[in-house]
Amino acid sequence: MEWGFNTPLKSLISFSMNKQNFYDLNFDQLKNFLIEKAEIDDKKAKMRAQQMFNAVYKKNIKSLDELTTFGLELREKIKNLISLEKPTIIDIQKSKDGTIKFLLELKDKRNVETVLIPDKSQSRYTICLSVSVGCYLSCEFCATAQISKKLVRNLTPGEIISQIILCKDYINDWSTQKKITNQVLMGEGSPFLNLDNVKVAIDNSKNKDGLEYGRTRITVSTVGVGIKKDNMDAIEWAAKELDVYLAWSLHSSIPKHRSEIMSINEKYSINSLIPQLKKYYDKTKLPIFIEWICLEENMTEDHAKELVKIMKKVPSKLNLIEFNPLANKSFKPASQDSIDKFSKIIQDNGFLSLFRRSRGRDINASCGSLANKKALGNG
């Protein structure tokens, strides 16, 4: 079984007129592109790349005609080589709790969804980003997995970071005081099955001339895919190359049960992942967020005790997530009493446990609910 699903740089050329999509390149890739394709002198390429990053990611230019730091001749050359194309917003839904869900159309007419989740003041947002059309994983409690049943394709770096640009445009978030303060790569798809493209998008999010988000403002999720990447375990590689918060979608601490609800556990077991997660913490000094969907069957004392054993091995914090029932599944949400008792066991053992209420449930924008049938497009 192939678990890489990464798109090489040479395949990221835009569908339109063979131009290179600007958003598909990180800073170093853009600099090299300017040297090789635009024939800009090596000594000036870094400055030109900074000017382009600043114009697009800070000043939010919509056309390369606005690239006034470039002379007319060079600007025309760049316009023939580079595109600023982004996906198109084709539908917007607003929840009664302030959550906003966007349906985006990609160049190949496929669709993905992006969600803006407001804080209590309704003035700051967390953006939930998708990384693929469909999902290869088959977690039984996730609507995205149940409706897609397959990975259609991964998103390019530009399709990932454009979700942020489009949402910033929608809420007019271009001042120095960000309205979108946090990013979570927890929408459709698995970031660890699209690592190369996720890395470029995160590079541009963190770059001081790009969107300029700090490392603790970005969280990447993984179910625990123990693939190799550049001769390292992927989780260890991510510590070095991504250097952001990592969220581990665990959801069950008892192996047999986890395999029943998450088939990935049969290939990459809990015990095989613990050393990698420990290395992630050792490298980044960022605690692992353990994600735990609150089902009637996994909020038991046995599950809590086994989870404590895991948390003693991996510096971590627990996020308890309210379950959003699926029409075609028999899972039942845990009672508040079960959640409180479970959380108390975790806290009594010295660990942080937080319960997250579902947001955007009335528009299918809550965790595990991004399953609009349009999301698969023409497939």
Side-chain angles (χ1 to χ4, degrees):
M1 183 180 295
E2 176 57 53
W3 290 95
F5 297 116
N6 290 312
T7 306
L9 177 60
K10 66 182 180 180
S11 71
L12 298 179
I13 301 298
S14 168
F15 294 102
S16 175
M17 299 173 61
N18 291 326
K19 291 182 182 180
Q20 171 64 57
N21 189 292
F22 171 85
Y23 299 103
D24 281 333
L25 303 177
N26 66 19
F27 186 86
D28 288 337
Q29 290 168 341
L30 176 62
K31 183 180 69 173
N32 292 334
F33 183 89
L34 293 176
I35 293 170
E36 295 171 11
K37 301 298 183 181
E39 299 177 325
I40 291 177
D41 184 85
D42 292 16
K43 296 179 180 178
K44 296 182 179 179
K46 180 178 179 180
M47 176 192 69
R48 292 303 190 187
Q50 285 176 325
Q51 289 173 330
M52 290 191 72
F53 257 53
N54 192 270
V56 174
Y57 288 119
K58 301 288 193 198
K59 299 179 180 178
N60 188 32
I61 67 168
K62 301 301 184 186
S63 166
L64 291 174
D65 286 320
E66 300 175 60
L67 195 60
T68 54
T69 52
F70 283 37
L72 183 60
E73 183 177 347
L74 179 57
R75 195 185 318 157
E76 289 300 316
K77 179 186 282 190
I78 294 298
K79 284 169 56 180
N80 289 326
L81 293 171
I82 293 177
S83 163
L84 292 180
E85 285 184 300
K86 297 185 292 293
T88 304
I89 297 174
I90 60 173
D91 188 46
I92 299 173
Q93 292 178 275
K94 297 181 181 180
S95 167
K96 58 187 179 183
D97 67 19
T99 299
I100 309 171
K101 184 171 75 169
F102 302 83
L103 181 66
L104 307 183
E105 184 175 88
L106 311 175
K107 285 295 293 182
D108 60 359
K109 304 303 180 182
R110 303 284 184 182
N111 300 95
V112 293
E113 293 177 326
T114 306
V115 179
L116 281 181
I117 306 164
D119 64 5
K120 291 181 180 179
S121 71
Q122 301 281 316
S123 62
R124 297 288 182 267
Y125 296 85
T126 292
I127 187 169
C128 182
L129 302 170
S130 292
V131 299
S132 68
V133 180
C135 184
Y136 199 90
L137 304 173
S138 54
C139 301
E140 294 293 329
F141 50 82
C142 178
T144 307
Q146 296 309 307
I147 197 170
S148 67
K149 298 295 185 182
K150 64 178 181 178
L151 173 72
V152 177
R153 72 168 176 86
N154 278 324
L155 300 189
T156 67
E159 290 169 337
I160 297 171
I161 202 162
S162 287
Q163 295 172 63
I164 307 173
I165 303 296
L166 291 168
C167 289
K168 284 172 73 70
D169 280 347
Y170 182 79
I171 62 172
N172 190 25
D173 182 23
W174 293 103
S175 71
T176 54
Q177 297 298 314
K178 291 183 175 66
K179 295 179 183 178
I180 299 175
T181 56
N182 295 279
Q183 303 173 31
V184 293
L185 283 78
M186 296 182 183
E188 297 172 52
S190 175
F192 272 60
L193 299 182
N194 192 14
L195 273 175
D196 286 345
N197 295 347
V198 164
K199 172 177 162 47
V200 172
I202 288 178
D203 284 348
N204 294 347
S205 284
K206 291 167 63 177
N207 192 292
K208 64 181 178 61
D209 293 307
L211 293 178
E212 200 172 1
Y213 280 85
R215 64 198 284 261
T216 60
R217 294 293 182 175
I218 304 171
T219 303
V220 174
S221 68
T222 179
V223 296
V225 179
I227 58 174
K228 293 289 183 180
K229 177 72 176 159
D230 297 341
N231 296 317
M232 289 186 283
D233 290 320
I235 293 174
E236 184 180 0
W237 180 91
K240 174 177 178 288
E241 298 293 339
L242 304 184
D243 189 29
V244 295
Y245 275 122
L246 182 67
W248 181 24
S249 293
L250 180 58
H251 305 302
S252 177
S253 54
I254 297 175
K256 183 177 184 298
H257 178 253
R258 189 171 192 256
S259 293
E260 290 172 357
I261 64 173
M262 301 176 71
S263 60
I264 191 70
N265 190 69
E266 296 177 11
K267 188 173 181 68
Y268 303 115
S269 69
I270 295 172
N271 286 337
S272 71
L273 295 169
I274 287 174
Q276 298 181 44
L277 294 165
K278 180 65 165 59
K279 287 181 181 178
Y280 195 97
Y281 171 79
D282 290 342
K283 175 69 176 177
T284 64
K285 301 306 179 187
L286 298 173
I288 307 298
F289 292 123
I290 293 180
E291 306 294 299
W292 192 279
I293 202 80
C294 295
L295 306 172
E296 188 178 62
E297 60 196 79
N298 69 349
M299 302 301 290
T300 66
E301 184 177 349
D302 286 345
H303 271 93
K305 288 180 178 179
E306 290 302 312
L307 179 55
V308 166
K309 293 178 184 178
I310 293 170
M311 296 181 78
K312 286 180 177 179
K313 297 175 183 177
V314 179
S316 52
K317 300 178 181 180
L318 178 64
N319 282 331
L320 296 172
I321 304 166
E322 187 175 16
F323 176 58
N324 303 294
L326 306 177
N328 62 335
K329 290 293 177 183
S330 60
F331 295 118
K332 294 180 180 179
S335 67
Q336 189 61 53
D337 182 60
S338 295
I339 294 170
D340 292 342
K341 289 178 179 178
F342 189 96
S343 188
K344 186 175 187 304
I345 294 173
I346 303 302
Q347 292 172 355
D348 285 349
N349 280 274
F351 300 106
L352 185 63
S353 173
L354 301 173
F355 177 61
R356 286 174 21 206
R357 285 287 178 196
S358 183
R359 305 293 298 278
R361 178 178 284 181
D362 54 319
I363 59 170
N364 292 325
S366 50
C367 185
S369 296
L370 297 186
N372 189 316
K373 292 183 180 180
K374 292 181 181 179
L376 298 183
N378 304 321

